[in-house]
Amino acid sequence: MVTWLFKPLYVYLASVVGVTDSTPDSSYVAAVYEHKVILNPHPRVPVSRHDALQHMQKNLDIYEEQAARAAQQGAQILVFPEDGIHGFNFTRLSITSYLETIPDPQEESWNPCMKPERHNNTEVLQRLSCMARRNNLYLVANMPDLQPCPLKTSPTSTCPPDGRWQFNTNVAFRYMSDGLLVARYHKHNLYFEASCDTPPEPEIITFDTPFAGKFECQFWSHLR
Ligand SMILES: *[C@@H]1O[C@H](CO)[C@@H](O)[C@H](O)[C@H]1NC(C)=O
Ligand SMILES: *[C@@H]1O[C@H](CO)[C@@H](O)[C@H](O)[C@H]1NC(C)=O
């Protein structure tokens, strides 16, 4: 059984996980936060990394408060919506300063909160990881990912003309005073997202939780 906190009436394009199997008799508390994203008023104009971070920190400040609230109410997993940190209506170029290169958790075990120096330009990953850690939560969030060519997961696929892959990505972090990056999922069915590439192959990404077994990363168009 899942107990939902902050049950939303309608979350557009929430980046959510579905339980694929769970132990009988288990119950857990899940929270979905319907975030009114603070937008960049001029999303088509390129900005510096400094300005992009300043913008994203405003949304992350709200995430931080909500993660604490969810934890106080006993949530074990908290899911934030698609585009909730950076916003939308970017061009392929104007989103550049918002991108972080998200390492593949299947290749590398990395805790961004504990080892921030291992990968440059990962301020958002670090903040989300620390949020999961501080609040003892599994935390799922959505952010744009930049991957160099050739793509490690699909080295033979044709590189985009500008020489880089840009993906709309869900990330999941583990709890237990931890914050390990446990999943990275690249969205396949893009919806008018000029700033992003479709991954050459659809991905099936799951992560395990002690309270509810396996979750699969996917995008739902809405959640009631
Ligand atoms: C995003 O762009 C669409 C057209 O492409 C426009 O209708 C919409 O108002 C824009 N939204 C924001 C928040 O800028
Ligand atoms: C991070 O950036 C600094 C400064 O550009 C550089 O010296 C360092 O090697 C980089 N670290 C990694 C892990 O790439």
Side-chain angles (χ1 to χ4, degrees):
M1 191 193 81
V2 190
T3 306
W4 293 97
L5 293 179
F6 322 134
K7 191 171 179 182
L9 286 176
Y10 207 84
V11 178
Y12 286 101
L13 295 167
S15 51
V16 198
V17 290
V19 187
T20 54
D21 66 48
S22 67
T23 348
D25 300 320
S26 73
S27 79
Y28 64 101
V29 181
V32 175
Y33 180 63
E34 186 177 10
H35 176 52
K36 189 167 189 304
V37 58
I38 299 166
L39 293 168
N40 172 341
H42 307 291
R44 294 170 199 283
V45 180
V47 294
S48 65
R49 174 68 177 165
H50 175 265
D51 289 354
L53 277 176
Q54 272 205 330
H55 167 213
M56 292 191 284
Q57 299 293 7
K58 290 182 195 160
N59 286 306
L60 288 165
D61 288 346
I62 298 170
Y63 277 28
E64 191 88 57
E65 290 166 17
Q66 295 304 325
R69 254 188 81 200
Q72 278 160 14
Q73 293 174 66
Q76 288 154 291
I77 181 165
L78 169 59
V79 181
F80 287 110
E82 183 173 28
D83 300 338
I85 301 171
H86 57 289
F88 40 82
N89 274 8
F90 294 99
T91 66
R92 192 171 174 89
L93 183 66
S94 72
I95 204 169
T96 304
S97 296
Y98 286 83
L99 302 167
E100 297 193 356
T101 297
I102 306 170
D104 185 354
Q106 295 179 342
E107 268 196 6
E108 174 185 344
S109 178
W110 179 47
N111 186 316
C113 187
M114 301 302 285
K115 297 260 186 261
E117 68 294 339
R118 194 187 296 172
H119 295 286
N120 279 337
N121 210 46
T122 53
E123 289 87 345
V124 173
L125 284 164
Q126 290 165 29
R127 194 142 179 217
L128 291 170
S129 164
C130 291
M131 231 181 264
R133 183 180 160 80
R134 193 174 306 118
N135 295 291
N136 251 11
L137 284 162
Y138 269 83
L139 189 151
V140 181
N142 172 259
M143 58 189 283
D145 177 25
L146 164 73
Q147 292 294 326
C149 288
L151 200 58
K152 276 191 192 148
T153 49
S154 182
T156 54
S157 43
T158 312
C159 193
D162 58 359
R164 53 206 245 162
W165 294 94
Q166 301 187 175
F167 297 118
N168 177 343
T169 308
N170 281 351
V171 284
F173 301 87
R174 188 170 79 176
Y175 72 156
M176 302 295 270
S177 307
D178 188 329
L180 193 80
L181 175 63
V182 289
R184 182 193 74 179
Y185 171 73
H186 294 136
K187 183 179 178 186
H188 199 260
N189 297 310
L190 296 179
Y191 184 78
F192 297 107
E193 295 172 61
S195 58
C196 288
D197 297 307
T198 299
E201 290 146 36
E203 300 174 351
I204 296 170
I205 303 289
T206 61
F207 60 91
D208 277 312
T209 66
F211 52 87
K214 215 177 271 298
F215 279 71
E216 182 174 347
C217 296
Q218 18 173 279
F219 281 80
W220 293 355
S221 58
H222 65 265
L223 183 77
R224 269 193 193 279

